[in-house]
C-alpha cells in the first residue's frame, strides 16, 4: 500500500516541486546519486573502479515530452562516453552506460519509438567508439514491447547492446528464454514499477520465485546474465545456480545500485565475481529517489529522519 502510494508520488508534479526544492533532500540524494554533473559521475566512477568494481552510468531523467530534450539527453550521453574514453575508464567494458528509453524519446506524442531507437543508436555508436556497451533500462510495463523491439532492431549493428527483464512481470520467463537463446546481455531485476494484477505478480514470494526461474534460464543459455539485486537470498541462489551450470566467474556479473549494500558489493568482488554498480548522476533525480524510497522502508525512514533533524 505504502509502496503503491510512493510510486504514485513519483509521478506527481506538485510533490516533485516540494521535494526537489527542500534543501535537506540534497543530503539524502547524495547517498544514492553521484552528483549533478558528468564530472561528479566520473569522480565517483573512478573511486568505484579503483576499488575493483565495474560501473554502469545513468544520466538521470525520464518521461521526456520534447524532442529537443530527448536530443539533449542523447548529446549528454555522447559527451559522457567521450570523457569516459579519454579517462580510459571503458577498457574491457569497465564503465558502461544505462539509458532509459523515455529519457531519449520513447514517450513522445509523435514518433516516440522511432526517436528513441535513433537516439539509442547514436549512444550505441559513441559507446562502440569508446570501447564499451549500453544497457537499455526497462520502465513500466507499457514500455516493455517497444523497448525489446528497439533492442532487437539495434542488436545486429550493436551486438553488445543489453536490456533488462523484470521478474515482477508474468511474461518475463518467456522473454528470458527468447533473449537467452539469442545470447543477449540481460540484466535481471525484480522491477521498480507497479502494474495491474493481470500482468504482474502480487506477492514478493511470487516475484522472487519468478526471479529464480529467469535466473536459471539465463544461466543455462548463451546469454550474459547481469544479476541485479541486493537480496541476499537471490544472490546465494544465483551463485549456486552459476556453479551448477559450470559458469566461469567472467561469464556473468552481479549488479547493485550506488549507495546500496556497498560492503556486499566489495565482498562479492573480492571473492572473484564481476560486480557492477549502477551509478546515476544529474539533477533530475526525483523519480529515481522515490522508487528507492518505495523499495525499502529503511530508506524512507532515513529520508524522514533527515527531514526531522533539520526541523
Ligand atoms: C543494477 C540495477 C539496475 C536496475 N535497473 C532497473 C530497471 O532497468 N528497471 C526496473 O524496473 N528496476 C531496475 N532496478 C531496480 C530493481 O527492479 C529493484 O526495484 C531493486 O533492485 C530492489 O529490489 P532487490 O532485488 O534489491 O530486492 P528487495 O526486494 O528490494 O530487497 C530484498 C532484500 O535485499 C536486501 N536489501 C535491499 N535493499 C537493501 C539496503 N538498502 N540495505 C541493506 N539490504 C538491502 C534486504 O535483505 C531485503 O530484504 C535495478 C536494480 C539494480 C540493482
Amino acid at each position: 500500500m505504502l509502496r503503491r502510494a510512493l510510486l504514485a508520488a513519483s509521478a506527481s508534479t506538485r510533490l516533485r516541486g516540494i521535494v526537489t526544492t527542500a534543501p535537506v533532500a540534497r543530503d539524502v540524494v547524495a547517498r544514492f546519486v553521484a552528483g549533478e554533473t558528468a564530472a561528479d559521475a566520473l569522480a565517483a566512477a573512478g573511486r568505484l573502479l579503483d576499488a575493483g568494481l565495474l560501473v554502469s552510468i545513468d544520466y538521470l531523467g525520464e518521461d521526456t515530452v520534447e524532442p529537443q530534450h530527448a536530443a539533449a539527453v542523447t548529446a549528454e550521453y555522447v559527451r559522457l562516453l567521450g570523457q569516459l574514453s579519454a579517462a580510459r575508464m571503458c577498457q574491457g567494458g569497465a564503465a558502461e552506460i544505462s539509458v532509459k528509453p523515455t529519457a531519449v524519446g520513447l514517450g513522445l506524442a509523435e514518433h516516440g519509438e522511432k526517436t528513441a531507437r535513433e537516439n539509442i543508436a547514436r549512444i550505441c555508436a559513441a559507446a562502440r567508439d569508446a570501447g564499451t556497451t549500453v544497457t537499455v533500462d526497462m520502465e513500466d510495463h507499457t514500455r516493455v514491447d517497444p523497448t525489446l523491439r528497439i533492442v532487437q532492431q539495434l542488436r545486429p549493428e550493436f551486438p553488445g547492446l543489453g536490456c533488462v527483464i523484470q521478474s515482477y512481470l508474468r511474461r518475463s520467463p518467456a522473454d528470458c528464454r527468447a533473449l537467452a537463446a539469442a545470447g543477449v546481455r540481460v540484466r535481471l531485476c525484480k522491477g521498480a514499477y507497479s502494474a495491474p494484477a493481470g500482468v504482474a505478480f502480487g506477492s514478493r514470494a511470487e516475484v522472487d520465485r519468478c526471479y529464480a526461474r529467469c535466473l536459471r534460464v539465463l544461466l543455462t543459455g548463451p546469454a550474459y546474465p547481469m544479476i541485479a539485486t541486493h537480496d541476499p537470498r537471490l544472490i546465494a541462489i544465483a551463485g549456486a545456480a552459476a556453479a551448477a551450470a559450470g559458469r566461469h566467474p567472467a561469464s556473468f556479473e552481479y549488479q547493485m545500485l550506488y549507495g546500496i549494500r556497498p560492503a556486499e558489493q566489495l565482498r562479492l568482488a573480492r571473492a572473484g565475481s564481476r560486480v557492477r554498480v549502477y551509478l546515476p548522476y544529474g539533477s533530475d533525480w526525483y523519480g529515481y529517489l522515490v522508487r528507492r524510497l518505495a523499495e525499502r522502508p529503511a530508506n524512507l525512514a532515513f529520508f524522514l529522519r533527515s527531514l526531522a533533524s533539520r526541523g
Side-chain angles (χ1 to χ4, degrees):
M1 180 95 153
L2 175 64
R3 181 170 183 270
R4 214 170 308 142
L6 279 166
L7 289 176
S10 72
S12 155
T13 320
R14 193 161 154 261
L15 256 180
R16 174 186 289 258
I18 295 168
V19 173
T20 53
T21 51
V24 63
R26 309 223 158 259
D27 296 353
V28 181
V29 170
R31 185 180 146 172
F32 300 108
V33 171
E36 297 219 337
T37 65
D40 294 330
L42 256 79
R47 288 193 292 275
L48 294 165
L49 296 179
D50 285 347
L53 300 162
L54 312 167
V55 293
S56 187
I57 304 181
D58 166 54
Y59 177 52
L60 288 163
E62 51 203 89
D63 297 328
T64 299
V65 290
E66 298 286 341
Q68 298 87 324
H69 187 193
V73 171
T74 305
E76 171 74 18
Y77 271 115
V78 170
R79 257 193 316 274
L80 174 71
L81 281 158
Q83 290 170 346
L84 287 169
S85 171
R88 301 186 171 281
M89 289 184 178
C90 293
Q91 286 165 344
E96 68 132 39
I97 291 296
S98 285
V99 179
K100 283 196 173 27
T102 69
V104 291
L106 185 60
L108 294 180
E110 281 178 33
H111 312 301
E113 187 170 335
K114 179 170 176 286
T115 306
R117 185 175 58 245
E118 289 171 357
N119 284 334
I120 293 172
R122 282 186 195 105
I123 296 168
C124 286
R128 186 175 54 196
D129 291 349
T132 192
T133 49
V134 175
T135 301
V136 180
D137 285 349
M138 192 60 82
E139 299 173 85
D140 77 79
H141 71 103
T142 63
R143 309 293 189 194
V144 176
D145 280 322
T147 300
L148 291 180
R149 236 182 348 254
I150 289 172
V151 170
Q152 193 187 14
Q153 286 162 354
L154 293 181
R155 277 197 76 245
E157 194 178 350
F158 305 105
L161 180 61
C163 63
V164 177
I165 292 294
Q166 301 153 315
S167 72
Y168 83 123
L169 296 181
R170 296 176 187 275
R171 60 180 283 171
S172 288
D175 286 334
C176 276
R177 278 192 289 279
L179 293 164
V184 182
R185 291 168 59 247
V186 180
R187 175 193 300 155
L188 178 62
C189 66
K190 291 189 189 183
Y193 299 80
S194 58
V199 291
F201 295 112
S203 75
R204 273 180 172 272
E206 286 173 305
V207 174
D208 289 1
R209 263 201 302 278
C210 183
Y211 195 103
R213 265 180 77 195
C214 291
L215 198 54
R216 288 200 184 86
V217 172
L218 295 174
L219 282 167
T220 49
Y224 179 80
M226 303 185 278
I227 302 159
T229 181
H230 312 98
D231 191 329
R233 222 176 107 246
L234 289 175
I235 291 170
I237 289 173
R247 281 277 184 166
H248 188 274
S251 72
F252 67 96
E253 67 188 43
Y254 294 98
Q255 295 192 343
M256 294 189 208
L257 301 176
Y258 180 67
I260 301 189
R261 302 200 73 201
E264 176 67 358
Q265 296 169 9
L266 290 174
R267 184 193 72 80
L268 285 166
R270 285 178 186 146
S273 296
R274 285 167 66 81
V275 181
R276 193 176 299 276
V277 178
Y278 184 99
L279 181 64
Y281 79 98
S283 52
D284 195 358
W285 42 259
Y286 177 75
Y288 182 84
L289 177 75
V290 175
R291 284 195 294 278
R292 302 295 76 83
L293 299 181
E295 263 151 29
R296 192 167 158 80
N299 288 345
L300 184 60
F302 173 77
F303 182 63
L304 294 175
R305 258 201 319 275
S306 322
L307 279 177
S309 66
R310 299 297 175 94

